[in-house]
């Protein structure tokens, strides 16, 4: 056997061994949590996961009538546990994602004796605090950075580009925001190759992968544009709608680590400029994703992204003072990554955890227990459930778990959890969907999202509910609303003025209907908007309403934001009209009154 044949055989054997090791790592990563899902429970996170599963089970079409940041394959990233087949599908996808991450990290690191152990350790740390779609994203980033570091004149293999492009198409359909970074990375690799044929291969693979994935999820290709449009609106409105300002040590660490990572990338003397662009763009993405809502569920994945970027600099010549800062920061980030991601189940390696619940023999009984526990936890009265029976139902504001627990006929609004309708376009879409079917009923829970006024989450939707629905059953925290005649007249202005930040304004008393406010804040300073671009949100809009302080998404401040009615109304939780209001930003304020007939009257 000639030398080149020996080398070829040896290389083939090495690839086979690496593939087996990668799959083994993917399987071991799930030790203690065989399938990456919680059992259904009562909270916003579990409810949107159930919503993703119900999309699939009940053939809900996405597009202009249904959108979320997650796509038709979101169940791979966030399985709810209510379908055994999809639970194992998600588990299998996670094995492949983790295995791919290991292989890509190994290629990213320089050829040293410690390359494989480091790749294994980092893979397990990333898996410990990342969802499956994020793991796939980091694998694509590691692959892209490896290709972008190639010497000038070398280009990636066509097959690798085709696979990466197809994986990117799947990433988009798992979670739109993460898919956007995956698209940017792969596109940068392809464009940098300067090979038009490779561009065509990439576009073709992405297009084919997207079509196959979309159709395999049971969706119509005519809905793609509508889903992308509404999904992009959700992603774009997220920072204004969900950001908060509570900083912590771990959030400051994220910001500091990002600064050091940027310095390391800039001072890496033998890193090609196109790789620097990819690294800096990735750091910006990770910062914005982590710092917009600086809690553990967002910071931990941000840490993992920075670690991958720092690993791409190993073997390059970075300015020594930056190295002295980057190394301890990478170590600290890695230690923090050993913490469990809140959205993933905690590992349980005890003998009591065996046999695993997702096994077919144990699953039906465990799922029945989970349903019974959820029914008890929700505590929805029989009169409310009776009022909903036989009618298409949406849930306000977010507890979709009730639909599954009581097997209701789900007819979700365009954005199935109200607090995610961050923009006027999404708010109006929900209001239109609410009125589309005269037989539609609403299961409403009397609970606010933290720091948010439940009446101001989606102003147009809330006004539609007030004007066109009436309460037909009520029990404690829950109420059922049925369609009624339109009981609202045309709004009329009752006051308008310019207000300063913090200026307390007396609210006019409603005389014959509902009083509401429309507020148009002055633009934030350029510095605040620049910081917001990297995820550091300052001077967000708040309102003080009779001593209660609420976050107000700036895009929805034009309302109308309901402040009360002349007579107690159940849509407004029978609350007394607001007496005083102030905003922490200057702007233009307008009070309007909306004539309102009593429920059941025209």
């Amino acid at each position: 056997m000639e030398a080149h044949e020996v080398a070829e055989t040896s290389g083939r054997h090495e690839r086979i061994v690496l593939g087996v090791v990668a799959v083994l790592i993917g399987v071991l990563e799930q030790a203690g949590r065989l399938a990456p899902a919680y059992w259904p429970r009562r909270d916003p996170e579990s409810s949107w996961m159930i919503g993703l599963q119900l999309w699939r089970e009940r053939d809900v079409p996405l597009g202009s009538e249904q959108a979320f940041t997650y796509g038709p394959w979101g169940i791979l990233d966030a399985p709810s546990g209510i379908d055994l087949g999809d639970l194992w599908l998600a588990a299998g996808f996670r094995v492949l994602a983790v295995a791919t991450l290991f292989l890509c990290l190994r290629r990213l690191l320089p050829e040293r004796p410690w390359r494989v152990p480091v790749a294994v350790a980092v893979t397990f740390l990333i898996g410990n605090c990342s969802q499956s779609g994020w793991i796939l994203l980091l694998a694509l980033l590691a692959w892209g950075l490896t290709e972008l570091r190639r010497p000038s004149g070398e280009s990636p293999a066509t097959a690798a580009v085709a696979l990466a492009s197809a994986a990117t198409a799947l990433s988009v359909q798992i979670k739109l925001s993460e898919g956007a970074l995956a698209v940017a990375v792969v596109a940068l690799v392809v464009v940098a190759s300067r090979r038009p044929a490779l561009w065509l291969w990439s576009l073709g693979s992405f297009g084919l992968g997207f079509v196959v994935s979309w159709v395999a999820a049971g969706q119509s290709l005519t809905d793609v544009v509508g889903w992308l449009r509404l999904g992009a609106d959700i992603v774009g409105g997220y920072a204004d709608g969900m950001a908060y300002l509570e900083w912590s040590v771990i959030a400051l660490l994220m910001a500091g680590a990002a600064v050091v990572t940027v310095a390391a990338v800039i001072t890496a003397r033998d890193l090609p400029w196109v790789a620097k662009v990819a690294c800096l763009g990735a750091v910006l993405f990770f910062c914005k994703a982590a710092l917009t809502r600086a809690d553990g569920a967002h910071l931990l994945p941000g840490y993992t992204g920075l670690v991958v970027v720092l690993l791409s600099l190993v073997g390059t010549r970075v300015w020594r003072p930056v190295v002295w800062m980057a190394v301890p920061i990478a170590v600290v980030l890695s230690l923090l990554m050993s913490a469990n991601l809140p959205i993933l189940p905690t590992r349980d390696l005890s003998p009591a955890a065996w046999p695993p619940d997702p096994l077919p023999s144990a699953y039906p009984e465990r799922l029945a227990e989970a349903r019974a526990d959820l029914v008890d936890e929700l505590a929805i009265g029989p009169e409310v459930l009776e009022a909903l029976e036989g009618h298409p139902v949406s849930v306000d504001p977010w507890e979709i778990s009730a639909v599954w627990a009581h097997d209701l006929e789900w007819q979700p609004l365009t954005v199935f959890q109200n607090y995610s309708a961050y923009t006027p376009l999404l708010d109006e879409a929900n209001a239109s969907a609410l009125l589309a079917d005269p037989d539609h009923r609403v299961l409403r829970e009397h609970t606010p999202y933290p720091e948010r006024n439940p009446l101001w989450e989606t102003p147009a939707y809330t006004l539609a509910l007030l004007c066109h629905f009436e309460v037909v059953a009520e029990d404690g925290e829950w109420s059922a609303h049925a369609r009624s005649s339109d009981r609202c007249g045309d709004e009329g202005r009752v006051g308008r003025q310019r207000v300063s930040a913090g200026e307390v304004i007396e609210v006019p008393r409603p005389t014959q209907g509902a009083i509401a406010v429309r507020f148009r804040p002055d633009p934030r300073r350029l510095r605040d908007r620049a910081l917001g671009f990297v995820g550091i949100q300052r001077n967000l809009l708040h309102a003080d309403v009779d001593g209660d302080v609420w976050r107000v998404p700036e895009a929805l401040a034009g309302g109308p934001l309901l402040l009360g009615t002349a007579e107690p109304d159940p849509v407004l939780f029978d609350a007394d009209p607001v007496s005083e209001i102030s905003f922490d930003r200057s702007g233009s304020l307008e009070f309007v009154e909306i004539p309102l007939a009593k429920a059941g009257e025209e």
Side-chain angles (χ1 to χ4, degrees):
M1 185 178 292
E2 296 184 7
H4 74 276
E5 294 177 336
V6 173
E8 184 178 333
T9 302
S10 176
R12 188 184 307 117
H13 289 165
E14 182 183 3
R15 288 193 292 272
I16 292 173
V17 171
L18 277 174
V20 172
V21 170
V23 172
L24 182 61
I25 290 172
V27 172
L28 291 177
E29 189 276 329
Q30 295 199 64
R33 51 183 186 207
L34 185 59
Y38 279 112
W39 291 106
R41 62 194 191 284
R42 182 183 183 179
D43 70 37
E45 300 287 349
S46 178
S47 284
W48 63 252
M49 293 180 190
I50 291 174
L52 297 181
Q53 186 66 57
L54 293 181
W55 270 356
R56 185 172 169 85
E57 285 187 3
R58 306 191 183 188
D59 298 321
V60 175
L62 305 187
S64 58
E65 296 182 358
Q66 191 68 201
F68 198 49
T69 51
Y70 284 86
W73 288 105
I75 56 118
L76 298 178
D77 197 44
S80 65
I82 65 175
D83 182 274
L84 181 60
D86 284 345
L87 193 58
W88 279 96
L89 181 64
F93 172 75
R94 188 175 180 90
V95 169
L96 290 177
V98 170
T100 304
L101 176 63
F102 162 72
L103 294 174
C104 292
L105 288 176
R106 177 188 168 276
R107 288 188 69 237
L108 182 66
L109 292 167
E111 293 188 17
R112 299 286 190 275
W114 42 261
R115 177 167 68 161
V116 170
V118 170
V120 170
V122 174
T123 298
F124 276 113
L125 286 172
I126 290 175
N128 191 62
C129 58
S130 300
Q131 292 175 269
S132 305
W134 187 264
I135 294 172
L136 175 62
L137 172 63
L138 295 185
L140 289 168
L141 176 62
W143 171 81
L145 293 177
T146 302
E147 298 300 338
L148 292 171
R149 294 185 317 184
R150 285 177 177 271
S152 179
E154 293 187 16
S155 61
T158 301
V161 169
L163 285 173
S165 300
T168 297
L170 179 59
S171 178
V172 170
Q173 293 183 37
I174 292 174
K175 191 172 185 180
L176 186 57
S177 56
E178 295 173 7
L181 178 60
V183 168
V185 169
V186 174
L188 197 57
V189 171
V190 173
V191 171
S193 72
R194 300 181 182 179
R195 287 173 52 196
L198 197 61
W199 303 351
L200 294 177
W201 270 104
S202 180
L203 284 173
S205 300
F206 179 86
L208 180 61
F210 194 99
V211 169
V212 170
S213 299
W214 189 265
V215 173
Q219 298 297 321
S220 170
L221 292 175
T222 59
D223 291 328
V224 171
V225 174
W227 173 71
L228 289 174
R229 177 169 172 261
L230 290 179
D233 219 50
I234 295 176
V235 172
Y238 177 85
D240 176 44
M242 294 298 287
Y244 65 92
L245 298 174
E246 293 182 9
W247 281 81
S248 62
V249 173
I250 56 175
L252 291 172
L253 175 64
M254 177 69 196
V259 171
V260 172
T261 303
V262 168
V265 170
I266 293 174
T267 61
R269 284 174 287 176
D270 46 0
L271 189 68
W273 69 267
V274 68
K276 290 187 177 185
V277 170
C279 288
L280 294 176
V283 171
L284 175 61
F285 177 89
F286 297 138
C287 273
K288 194 169 181 65
L291 295 178
T292 296
R293 285 189 63 80
D295 55 21
H298 296 84
L299 286 169
L300 286 172
Y303 296 162
T304 66
L306 293 186
V307 166
V308 171
V309 173
L310 289 172
L311 285 179
S312 72
L313 303 178
V314 176
T316 63
R317 292 177 295 169
V318 177
W319 190 37
R320 191 168 297 278
V322 176
V323 174
W324 293 340
M325 292 185 289
V327 170
I329 281 179
V331 172
V332 171
L333 293 181
S334 298
L335 291 174
L336 289 171
M337 284 160 54
S338 62
N340 192 75
L341 185 71
I343 205 170
L344 290 175
T346 303
R347 295 185 189 277
D348 186 357
L349 298 172
S350 67
W354 188 264
D357 291 328
L359 291 181
S361 58
Y363 177 79
E365 181 179 352
R366 183 65 186 89
L367 188 64
E369 291 176 0
R371 188 191 293 268
D373 291 342
L374 183 56
V375 167
D376 291 341
E377 189 177 6
L378 293 169
I380 303 175
E383 59 273 24
V384 172
L385 294 172
E386 185 178 351
L388 300 173
E389 187 176 352
H391 298 273
V393 175
S394 63
V395 180
D396 178 355
W398 63 66
E399 201 56 65
I400 302 167
S401 64
V403 171
W404 174 76
H406 292 283
D407 198 23
L408 301 176
E409 182 184 341
W410 192 40
Q411 188 180 61
L413 303 183
T414 305
V415 183
F416 59 47
Q417 289 186 313
N418 283 352
Y419 68 85
S420 293
Y422 308 122
T423 68
L425 173 66
L426 301 171
D427 184 21
E428 292 289 349
N430 268 13
S432 298
L434 180 68
L435 303 178
D437 184 353
D439 196 37
H440 187 94
R441 297 204 168 179
V442 178
L443 172 62
R444 196 168 188 228
E445 184 183 11
H446 304 174
T447 183
Y449 198 84
E451 299 184 345
R452 304 284 283 275
N453 186 329
L455 302 178
W456 296 0
E457 290 280 26
T458 47
Y461 161 83
T462 304
L463 184 61
L465 188 68
L466 176 67
C467 294
H468 297 276
F469 282 74
E470 62 180 331
V471 174
V472 292
E474 192 169 10
D475 178 39
E477 296 180 348
W478 299 93
S479 57
H481 298 244
R483 186 72 176 268
S484 66
S485 57
D486 184 0
R487 59 191 185 114
C488 290
D490 296 332
E491 71 173 48
R493 184 190 298 170
V494 295
R496 183 177 184 180
Q497 65 186 96
R498 177 90 189 154
V499 297
S500 302
E503 181 180 354
V504 178
I505 304 298
E506 185 175 345
V507 178
R509 299 288 296 181
T511 58
Q512 56 177 340
I515 195 76
V517 65
R518 294 183 182 275
F519 184 66
R520 291 172 177 79
D522 293 338
R524 290 193 294 171
R525 299 175 185 174
L526 181 60
R527 179 184 62 184
D528 293 336
R529 282 180 283 172
L531 289 172
F533 186 70
V534 298
I536 302 174
Q537 303 294 337
R538 298 179 71 250
N539 293 325
L540 297 169
L541 185 61
H542 295 78
D544 187 315
V545 180
D546 286 342
D548 294 322
V549 178
W550 305 104
R551 269 277 287 116
V552 184
E554 191 168 330
L556 298 176
L561 308 177
L562 292 168
L563 299 173
T565 52
E567 299 290 336
D569 193 284
V571 172
L572 275 62
F573 308 119
D574 295 321
D576 294 329
V578 173
S579 300
E580 295 179 337
I581 189 171
S582 66
F583 292 90
D584 60 0
R585 298 248 302 276
S586 59
S588 175
L589 179 147
E590 179 182 56
F591 290 112
V592 296
E593 186 165 15
I594 304 165
L596 185 67
K598 291 184 179 179
E601 299 179 0
E602 297 191 18

